[in-house]
Amino acid sequence: MLNCPIPKSEYDKVILAHGGGGKLSHQLLEKIFFSQFDNELLNQQNDSAVFDLKDQRLAFTTDSYVVQPIFFPGGNIGELAVYGTVNDLSVSGAKPLYLSAGFIIEEGLPMDDLWKIVVSMKEAAEKSGVQIITGDTKVVEKGKGDKVFINTSGVGVVYDGINISPKRCRPGDAIILSGRIADHGIAIMSAREGLQFETTIVSDTAPLNELVEKMLNASKNIHTMRDATRGGIASTLNEIASSANVGVNINENSIPINDQVIGACEILGLDPLYIANEGKLVAFVDSNDAEKVLGVMKSHPLGVDSIIIGEVVEDHPGRVVMKTSIGSSRIVDMISGEQLPRIC
Amino acid sequence: MLNCPIPKSEYDKVILAHGGGGKLSHQLLEKIFFSQFDNELLNQQNDSAVFDLKDQRLAFTTDSYVVQPIFFPGGNIGELAVYGTVNDLSVSGAKPLYLSAGFIIEEGLPMDDLWKIVVSMKEAAEKSGVQIITGDTKVVEKGKGDKVFINTSGVGVVYDGINISPKRCRPGDAIILSGRIADHGIAIMSAREGLQFETTIVSDTAPLNELVEKMLNASKNIHTMRDATRGGIASTLNEIASSANVGVNINENSIPINDQVIGACEILGLDPLYIANEGKLVAFVDSNDAEKVLGVMKSHPLGVDSIIIGEVVEDHPGRVVMKTSIGSSRIVDMISGEQLPRIC
């Protein structure tokens, strides 16, 4: 067998940051997973793999949810698992249809907690118009898991005439963000740290399929779309800039953030650009269609705060550059370590 | 919200046996999962959900693998995860095409172990003719997982004219078993207990898609098929008897078991009928086609020991009755507790 491509001198063990969505995550993906599972569909590096079966384009995606705590302000691991996979299908230009649900339960989980989670998954599936049609349950010994982990995979049908891919965005594209950032990550962190604010900061977990459908109806020229989850909008924009080998310029002033979230970020020493969202997307849209797409987004309850936050440029390919509120420019790099473990 | 349908007086917490594939697993499935996610496709209770998209029949399945130890005689968790999902699609009458892979890694997993697992998944995918096209990696803190858990979900296309379902078998059907039972479970247990035998008992983990394809080519009258994993052939036969509301008669003498496996079962106090297999299936075939199907099975390397072990009867619907080697009859019930935790 080939030697492990990550040398022992570098990392002989997996560390938390390998799951953080930043540079180390990407190294692990590239060197271990992509190097072995190498195939055209995987190499799309999209939120879902898109493939043709006869005359149909299908999208297929998977995510495991290990969020801690399992109940948090604004949601729980169950509905997060449904919405997360619904959103991964949606931002790939697909109508989500069917989900699977795989549970890994730690012995001792209160039956009532499992019940609450399952009930909220049912409600989330109904709200998203999907069905959970296959599943699996495993139980591990106390101390070998952490309450419950949930994997959801999903299958959807790509809308006719739609081709969304991280590689498709191009200089001139407007970058639209669908609302205020960092709510999910801060809700989780506040729950963990026992922080109290005037009003509770709640997760933004929500199904984006309806919003996306309206956007796709408004324009065939949405080139790239992604929900800005683990690693926040900074990681999402970096991944896209790198995939398409384009430059991304954004304006700090245009990025909407809840005041209390800003306060919490200051207390916790966190940069909101890197904090996970669970109901926000960024779309890279041909500039001619940008206002039209923005219009339909603002008319949807999950997109009322939508705003153009920047544009794609030819300069500095692979890099994200932010014009700050004081007028200077700074590179928004991919995070290298681990800011918030187990955020989703 | 409705109260949890499993009362506190019965089980206020999830216990290991809820994941064992026996009566408690079924209670959890029925009362918690099926009661909420209730839909026609889920209610098929097949190894895969089968649904139509335009003029295509697709199969979709998921399984999480938590086997301990992650490396065992004859395999590891990675190839098990690939073959397991390939087999779930196959026994639903589908050609497996695409897999997802979701990893939940415990911080501290040696990078070399992850690498070996991923390499063996690649090889297993190649051997099965499938591609791993989408994935996800999460890392949890030391002590919050157990080395690595892997979820694989899979999509396949159901062969034309094939309709496999647990509800389709009927009195008169011959029951064919594809080979010797209990190798996988005993390989795992031997590794855990440090048992030594003259020759090492190795897991039977293998991809059954090619064997199944040959069977389906030989006959359109295979009514029901299932791979006999967690809970062994006893659980598999009970599930089918209950689903189709038919009686199942089997002959103890006809069930092939490796001598060393019999020895190990005696030492460990285990009944081989309840022990997991990872490369064996049972098929319920119209009696007119049984010899033909048996013939093609025996001509395939993974089916050389195939044998008719019994038949479907009108008597004792929902029950499995075994004629023992000493000539008496006994009911082979669904196991109620947990014989072997974390076998797959």
Side-chain angles (χ1 to χ4, degrees):
Chain A
M1 195 191 292
L2 288 169
N3 284 329
C4 178
I6 297 177
K8 281 202 168 49
S9 57
E10 212 172 321
Y11 289 99
D12 67 332
K13 292 189 170 117
V14 177
I15 64 171
L16 277 176
H18 283 117
K23 279 184 187 165
L24 280 183
S25 284
H26 282 262
Q27 189 200 45
L28 192 76
L29 282 181
E30 293 291 343
K31 295 203 172 176
I32 304 274
F33 295 107
F34 290 161
S35 78
Q36 283 299 300
F37 299 158
D38 180 47
N39 62 65
E40 207 180 304
L41 296 174
L42 183 68
N43 295 343
Q44 295 169 345
Q45 299 190 24
N46 214 339
D47 273 347
S48 310
V50 170
F51 57 88
D52 290 308
L53 271 187
K54 281 194 190 167
D55 57 345
Q56 269 186 122
R57 300 220 94 179
L58 300 181
F60 180 34
T61 190
T62 193
D63 257 321
S64 295
Y65 294 83
V66 299
V67 65
Q68 187 275 316
I70 56 174
F71 296 96
F72 49 81
N76 68 54
I77 190 171
E79 63 175 282
L80 189 68
V82 171
Y83 292 151
T85 288
V86 162
N87 292 349
D88 279 347
L89 292 170
S90 302
V91 295
S92 304
K95 181 182 178 67
L97 294 179
Y98 297 121
L99 261 54
S100 65
F103 294 81
I104 300 174
I105 302 172
E106 184 193 18
E107 181 186 21
L109 177 73
M111 196 63 82
D112 257 352
D113 285 355
L114 179 63
W115 176 244
K116 278 180 208 149
I117 289 166
V118 169
V119 169
S120 79
M121 289 179 79
K122 167 221 174 85
E123 290 167 356
E126 282 175 356
K127 211 166 148 185
S128 320
V130 299
Q131 289 186 328
I132 297 168
I133 62 170
T134 187
D136 176 55
T137 309
K138 295 292 190 311
V139 182
V140 297
E141 305 89 336
K142 189 114 192 128
K144 300 294 183 183
D146 194 9
K147 296 189 176 73
V148 62
F149 303 141
I150 304 177
N151 177 284
T152 50
S153 301
V155 173
V157 175
V158 177
Y159 289 102
D160 282 341
I162 298 299
N163 180 9
I164 307 278
S165 152
K167 296 188 203 311
R168 278 198 73 218
C169 65
R170 59 193 71 157
D173 280 1
I175 304 171
I176 311 180
L177 170 67
S178 69
R180 292 187 285 189
I181 65 167
D183 289 359
H184 175 73
I186 293 300
I188 299 288
M189 286 307 287
S190 304
R192 282 191 208 158
E193 307 290 332
L195 296 184
Q196 302 288 331
F197 300 96
E198 267 179 51
T199 56
T200 308
I201 299 172
V202 299
S203 167
D204 60 341
T205 179
L208 296 172
N209 52 327
E210 204 183 75
L211 173 67
V212 168
E213 191 177 354
K214 282 181 191 299
M215 293 166 66
L216 296 175
N217 278 333
S219 168
K220 301 277 184 221
N221 298 309
I222 299 173
H223 298 138
T224 301
M225 223 173 353
R226 188 158 281 187
D227 55 338
T229 56
R230 184 167 47 162
I233 63 164
S235 303
T236 300
L237 294 173
N238 266 286
E239 282 165 14
I240 293 169
S242 160
S243 242
N245 202 33
V246 295
V248 162
N249 282 352
I250 56 173
N251 302 306
E252 185 169 24
N253 278 337
S254 65
I255 297 170
I257 315 181
N258 179 330
D259 282 343
Q260 292 202 110
V261 169
I262 294 176
C265 283
E266 281 167 4
I267 293 168
L268 296 163
L270 298 170
D271 183 341
L273 293 178
Y274 293 93
I275 293 177
N277 313 280
E278 289 292 342
K280 298 297 169 342
L281 60 80
V282 287
F284 290 62
V285 185
D286 187 292
S287 59
N288 294 317
D289 284 6
E291 286 300 329
K292 190 163 61 175
V293 171
L294 183 64
V296 301
M297 290 174 73
K298 288 167 84 84
S299 73
H300 189 276
L302 293 175
V304 283
D305 294 322
S306 294
I307 185 165
I308 295 174
I309 60 164
E311 61 172 342
V312 179
V313 295
E314 281 183 31
D315 286 354
H316 53 81
R319 288 212 173 273
V320 178
V321 174
M322 183 166 77
K323 197 169 163 192
T324 67
S325 48
I326 54 165
S328 64
S329 285
R330 74 168 173 96
I331 289 173
V332 178
D333 204 358
M334 177 85 68
I335 206 164
S336 73
E338 171 64 48
Q339 197 178 227
L340 297 172
R342 298 183 58 192
I343 210 69
C344 60
Chain B
M1 192 191 294
L2 288 169
N3 284 329
C4 178
I6 297 177
K8 279 202 169 50
S9 57
E10 211 172 322
Y11 290 99
D12 66 333
K13 293 191 170 114
V14 177
I15 65 172
L16 277 175
H18 283 116
K23 279 183 187 166
L24 279 183
S25 285
H26 282 262
Q27 189 200 44
L28 192 76
L29 283 181
E30 293 291 342
K31 296 203 172 175
I32 304 274
F33 296 107
F34 290 160
S35 77
Q36 283 298 301
F37 300 158
D38 181 46
N39 61 66
E40 206 181 304
L41 297 173
L42 184 68
N43 295 343
Q44 295 170 346
Q45 300 191 24
N46 214 339
D47 274 347
S48 310
V50 170
F51 57 90
D52 290 308
L53 272 188
K54 280 193 188 167
D55 55 346
Q56 272 186 120
R57 299 220 95 179
L58 300 181
F60 180 34
T61 190
T62 193
D63 257 321
S64 294
Y65 295 83
V66 299
V67 64
Q68 186 273 319
I70 55 174
F71 297 97
F72 49 80
N76 68 54
I77 190 172
E79 62 176 281
L80 189 68
V82 171
Y83 292 150
T85 289
V86 162
N87 292 348
D88 278 347
L89 292 170
S90 302
V91 296
S92 304
K95 182 182 177 66
L97 294 178
Y98 298 120
L99 261 54
S100 64
F103 294 80
I104 299 174
I105 302 171
E106 183 193 19
E107 182 185 22
L109 178 74
M111 196 63 82
D112 257 352
D113 286 356
L114 180 62
W115 176 244
K116 277 180 207 150
I117 288 166
V118 169
V119 169
S120 79
M121 289 179 80
K122 167 220 174 84
E123 290 168 355
E126 282 176 356
K127 210 166 148 184
S128 320
V130 298
Q131 290 187 326
I132 297 167
I133 62 170
T134 188
D136 176 55
T137 309
K138 294 292 191 310
V139 182
V140 297
E141 305 90 335
K142 187 113 193 130
K144 300 293 183 184
D146 194 10
K147 297 189 176 72
V148 62
F149 302 142
I150 304 176
N151 176 284
T152 50
S153 301
V155 173
V157 175
V158 177
Y159 289 103
D160 282 341
I162 298 299
N163 180 7
I164 307 278
S165 152
K167 297 188 201 312
R168 278 198 72 217
C169 65
R170 59 192 72 158
D173 281 1
I175 303 171
I176 311 179
L177 171 66
S178 70
R180 292 187 285 188
I181 64 166
D183 290 359
H184 176 73
I186 293 300
I188 299 288
M189 287 307 287
S190 304
R192 281 191 207 158
E193 307 290 332
L195 296 183
Q196 302 289 332
F197 300 96
E198 268 179 52
T199 55
T200 309
I201 298 171
V202 299
S203 167
D204 61 341
T205 178
L208 295 173
N209 53 326
E210 204 182 76
L211 174 67
V212 168
E213 192 177 354
K214 282 182 192 299
M215 293 166 65
L216 297 174
N217 278 334
S219 167
K220 302 276 184 222
N221 298 309
I222 300 173
H223 298 137
T224 302
M225 224 173 352
R226 188 158 281 186
D227 55 337
T229 57
R230 184 167 46 161
I233 63 164
S235 303
T236 301
L237 294 174
N238 266 287
E239 281 164 16
I240 294 169
S242 161
S243 242
N245 201 31
V246 295
V248 163
N249 282 351
I250 56 172
N251 301 306
E252 185 169 26
N253 279 335
S254 65
I255 297 169
I257 314 180
N258 180 329
D259 282 344
Q260 292 203 108
V261 169
I262 295 176
C265 283
E266 282 168 3
I267 294 168
L268 295 164
L270 298 171
D271 183 340
L273 293 178
Y274 293 93
I275 294 177
N277 312 280
E278 289 291 342
K280 298 296 170 342
L281 60 80
V282 286
F284 289 63
V285 185
D286 187 291
S287 59
N288 293 318
D289 284 5
E291 286 300 328
K292 191 164 59 173
V293 172
L294 183 64
V296 300
M297 290 174 73
K298 289 167 84 84
S299 72
H300 189 278
L302 293 176
V304 284
D305 294 322
S306 294
I307 186 165
I308 295 175
I309 59 164
E311 61 173 343
V312 179
V313 294
E314 282 182 33
D315 286 353
H316 53 83
R319 289 214 172 271
V320 179
V321 174
M322 182 166 77
K323 196 169 165 193
T324 67
S325 48
I326 54 165
S328 63
S329 285
R330 74 167 172 97
I331 289 173
V332 178
D333 203 359
M334 177 88 61
I335 205 165
S336 73
E338 171 65 49
Q339 197 177 225
L340 297 171
R342 296 182 60 191
I343 209 69
C344 60

